Amino acid sequence: MQEGRKERAGAAESDLFRADFPGELRIFDDLPSTNTYLCERADGLPEGTAVMARRQTAGRGRRGHDFASPDGAGLYLSFLLRRPFPGSLLPLLTPYAAVITAEAIEELCPVKIGIKWVNDLFLGERKICGILTEGAFNPDGGLAHAVIGIGVNLKAGALPPELAGIAGAIGDVTPPPAPERLAVGILTRFFRNTDRLEDRSFLREYRRRSILLGREVFAVKDGKKIRGSATGIDEDGGLCLLTQEGSVTLRTGEVSVRLADP
């Protein structure tokens, strides 16, 4: 399959794309993965370059998971961040993008979006969005660049049958926004509000939207299954659990609110 059979330089195409973010929005009919496309070209592209596909043939989620990306059913967006940030901010990019995406969705739709640590957005009890962040470092440990990928399920009834009851879409409860409009909303908010990332003030909103805090969760840490109560999210984005053995902070991994293996 030819990659990106149709590409449009969105920043020059219509007023929709003349928004307050650096770079331009490039729209493809299909790509294997928007994140892969940008990661392979990151060294030669300016900050704010954004790529959107109508369909992904090899969409990727965190920890090697596939991300279902049916044709015309969602927003499949990746964009490039190139700032002199310290490398310590890299783990906060995904939580920050989660807050920004939730706010952008709510600006366009009459819904309330929750966040499941660390990278999933929920509408009610079903996942509607996943976020994948990939980065590279300078020799001094600073952030050379990061690619943030965001997939939002928009169209009702478009996901594979095996995801029924687990994943949902905005269209399940209200008419969804056009993917281009949501993309511009996310990009504009992300780059306009990076001071919230640098001073970590966005974490207040991240905690407020958490669907885990106060609930019993099941997780894996260092290969060991643990169960505990989610008590907080620290200033580095870690999930704090109170277990029978004491306090534990998760920096990476998967958690489940089901009383079974995640």
Side-chain angles (χ1 to χ4, degrees):
M1 181 183 301
Q2 183 180 356
E3 180 182 276
R5 289 192 299 266
K6 186 175 182 183
E7 177 183 358
R8 284 168 280 179
E13 188 176 50
S14 73
D15 289 341
L16 177 64
F17 302 109
R18 295 193 183 104
D20 186 16
F21 63 89
E24 66 177 13
L25 176 58
R26 305 176 181 183
I27 301 177
F28 293 80
D29 281 344
D30 59 69
L31 287 174
S33 160
T34 56
N35 256 44
T36 298
Y37 179 92
L38 275 185
C39 285
E40 290 176 348
R41 296 160 175 80
D43 289 342
L45 294 173
E47 173 167 276
T49 300
V51 173
M52 189 183 105
R54 305 293 185 191
R55 175 175 72 119
Q56 293 184 121
T57 56
R60 297 187 291 118
R62 290 180 71 246
R63 304 176 71 82
H65 295 165
D66 294 334
F67 187 88
S69 311
D71 190 10
L75 169 64
Y76 316 123
L77 172 72
S78 296
F79 55 93
L80 182 66
L81 178 68
R82 193 186 301 282
R83 297 280 177 96
F85 287 153
S88 59
L89 280 183
L90 182 62
L92 291 174
L93 287 177
T94 294
Y96 172 65
V99 169
I100 291 296
T101 302
E103 292 174 345
I105 291 171
E106 291 181 354
E107 185 175 39
L108 297 174
C109 302
V111 295
K112 294 296 183 183
I113 302 298
I115 299 175
K116 177 177 174 286
W117 185 90
V118 58
N119 68 317
D120 294 335
L121 301 190
F122 271 60
L123 179 55
E125 293 297 317
R126 294 196 292 175
K127 174 181 172 178
I128 63 159
C129 171
I131 299 171
L132 173 65
T133 300
E134 301 176 279
F137 296 96
N138 292 315
D140 63 3
L143 184 66
H145 69 262
V147 172
I148 299 99
I150 299 171
V152 184
N153 301 329
L154 298 176
K155 186 178 178 181
L159 294 171
E162 60 268 23
L163 296 179
I166 301 172
I170 292 174
D172 292 336
V173 299
T174 189
E180 296 92 341
R181 187 168 296 280
L182 180 55
V184 167
I186 292 170
L187 292 166
T188 301
R189 281 179 172 273
F190 187 98
F191 287 103
R192 182 184 292 167
N193 295 284
T194 53
D195 57 321
R196 296 172 67 191
L197 169 64
E198 294 183 82
D199 66 15
R200 292 172 161 79
S201 61
F202 80 93
L203 284 168
R204 291 193 294 271
E205 184 66 11
Y206 188 75
R207 296 178 184 112
R208 186 186 73 81
R209 291 180 180 270
S210 174
I211 66 170
L212 295 184
L213 295 184
R215 301 177 72 173
E216 191 170 42
V217 302
F218 206 79
V220 176
K221 180 178 173 62
D222 300 327
K224 179 183 177 183
K225 298 174 184 178
I226 59 175
R227 179 174 169 178
S229 176
T231 59
I233 294 168
D234 70 14
E235 287 297 296
D236 294 315
L239 180 66
C240 304
L241 303 180
L242 182 61
T243 73
Q244 290 184 341
E245 290 76 31
S247 297
V248 172
T249 300
L250 300 180
R251 298 294 173 196
T252 62
E254 302 283 347
V255 297
S256 171
V257 295
R258 299 184 298 275
L259 298 183
D261 289 356

